[in-house]
Amino acid sequence: MVAERSKLTRLALAAAIAIPVTFLTHGASAIVVTGDTNAASLVSALLSGSPGLTVTG
Amino acid sequence: MFDAGAVSSGTYTNGSGTYGIGSGIVLSSGDVRAYGDGVNNLTNSTTNFGASAPALNTTAATAPRELLLDQITGGSLDHFDATQLDITFDVGAGIDRVFFNVVFGSDEFDEFVGSPFIDAFGIFLNGVNIALFNGNPVNIDHPNMAFRTGTELDGLLDPTGGSGNPIMLFEGLVTPGSVGNTLTFIIADSNDSQLDSTVFIEGFGTIDPGGGTPGGGFESLPEPGSAVMLAMGLIFLRRLGKRTSAKS
């Protein structure tokens, strides 16, 4: 099932999409996000370092 | 397996302690770079899931992903812009559970609560979704979704009702000494690719990372063979249902 949003909502969404992502990215973040698509890097950042757990893949 | 848009995954540090969650990874149905902390500029934020152009692209979820996401959103919706991270791990002889801290938020809240646009997140441990808070899966229809400031996200699944940090603690059982345990994190848009959802995750390990509110129980786990049979059966039923729907 694919329902559609109202016309007004779609217009508002279109306007939002047109705004560059750079506008949404905050300059002085305390949560600092770095894009990363390397699985090993993500897993490394996710692990707490607690004992008894070994990631194998 | 790791499968995501070109900009829908990343790592983060949290120097000021926004939401109270420690450093970890961030997964999204949009562009994770838009979810540093700061002012919430838009209540309907949609960012680019893929490359820099086109400005917005729509990536339909594959059949295996639909199988997972249907368990979180009720079974009848299509999903888009899914980001999925799979991990395989072994545990030592004395280890019987693993933990995660999670902050989930969405720009679908609150305009599309109760609609088909219920973006969702799941953690599948050996094929079972352990991301249930008070018995309900993590999507924007969850009764604990609430407005919280801090990032571009409009609403968060806040287990404290606004009285504390909006961190959910999830834990899952594993067999002590077991090898080849599977773990899948998945987040996606529901019904269309507009208005994004994002999740911050930290502290994957064998000890409670602290700071999170327990989700209320943890799941017992089927044997891997049982999970595969269940998955095949659900795929068959989903396809049968769609064919029936298309004919009617």
Side-chain angles (χ1 to χ4, degrees):
Chain A
M1 179 182 70
V2 178
E4 291 192 359
R5 300 175 196 262
S6 69
K7 186 176 181 180
L8 181 62
T9 301
R10 280 183 277 133
L11 286 171
L13 292 175
I17 292 163
I19 297 174
V21 167
T22 49
F23 180 77
L24 303 175
T25 307
H26 311 293
S29 294
I31 288 184
V32 179
V33 174
T34 304
D36 193 335
T37 57
N38 181 288
S41 174
L42 293 174
V43 171
S44 177
L46 179 62
L47 287 168
S48 70
S50 57
L53 187 152
T54 305
V55 172
T56 59
Chain B
M1 180 182 76
F2 176 62
D3 203 350
V7 291
S8 70
S9 62
T11 61
Y12 69 92
T13 56
N14 190 3
S16 69
T18 299
Y19 302 149
I21 191 166
S23 299
I25 67 169
V26 54
L27 307 177
S28 180
S29 61
D31 185 343
V32 293
R33 298 171 298 176
Y35 294 97
D37 67 338
V39 176
N40 184 1
N41 291 302
L42 296 168
T43 59
N44 55 358
S45 176
T46 301
T47 56
N48 191 354
F49 174 76
S52 57
L56 174 69
N57 55 20
T58 299
T59 304
T62 60
R65 288 178 171 184
E66 287 286 358
L67 173 66
L68 299 176
L69 294 162
D70 279 350
Q71 298 176 53
I72 315 171
T73 63
S76 63
L77 301 175
D78 291 325
H79 302 91
F80 300 89
D81 294 357
T83 293
Q84 176 179 347
L85 174 63
D86 291 343
I87 297 171
T88 305
F89 66 95
D90 305 339
V91 295
I95 303 299
D96 68 352
R97 66 196 66 199
V98 292
F99 299 86
F100 323 86
N101 272 346
V102 171
V103 171
F104 169 83
S106 179
D107 264 59
E108 298 279 7
F109 184 83
D110 66 337
E111 300 94 318
F112 296 101
V113 170
S115 79
F117 306 102
I118 49 172
D119 293 6
F121 169 72
I123 304 173
F124 291 85
L125 177 58
N126 291 327
V128 176
N129 183 22
I130 62 168
L132 301 175
F133 192 82
N134 290 341
N136 296 312
V138 177
N139 62 47
I140 72 150
D141 274 356
H142 195 287
N144 282 88
M145 286 293 296
F147 291 107
R148 290 292 297 254
T149 58
T151 70
E152 188 57 49
L153 295 165
D154 292 355
L156 302 178
L157 202 164
D158 182 358
T160 72
S163 64
N165 289 320
I167 303 171
M168 296 176 283
L169 170 68
F170 293 118
E171 60 183 298
L173 296 176
V174 292
T175 302
S178 58
V179 299
N181 294 287
T182 63
L183 182 64
T184 294
F185 299 94
I186 187 167
I187 187 169
D189 290 325
S190 294
N191 211 56
D192 70 9
S193 64
Q194 298 176 46
L195 303 189
D196 297 323
S197 295
T198 295
V199 64
F200 299 90
I201 313 167
E202 65 131 353
F204 171 36
T206 59
I207 299 172
D208 179 351
T213 299
F218 34 83
E219 302 296 317
S220 59
L221 307 174
E223 293 297 321
S226 301
V228 170
M229 292 298 291
L230 176 63
M232 292 176 65
L234 288 173
I235 288 174
F236 173 77
L237 289 173
R238 178 181 173 82
R239 289 181 175 174
L240 184 65
K242 285 190 172 180
R243 286 177 185 168
T244 303
S245 175
K247 288 179 180 177
S248 60

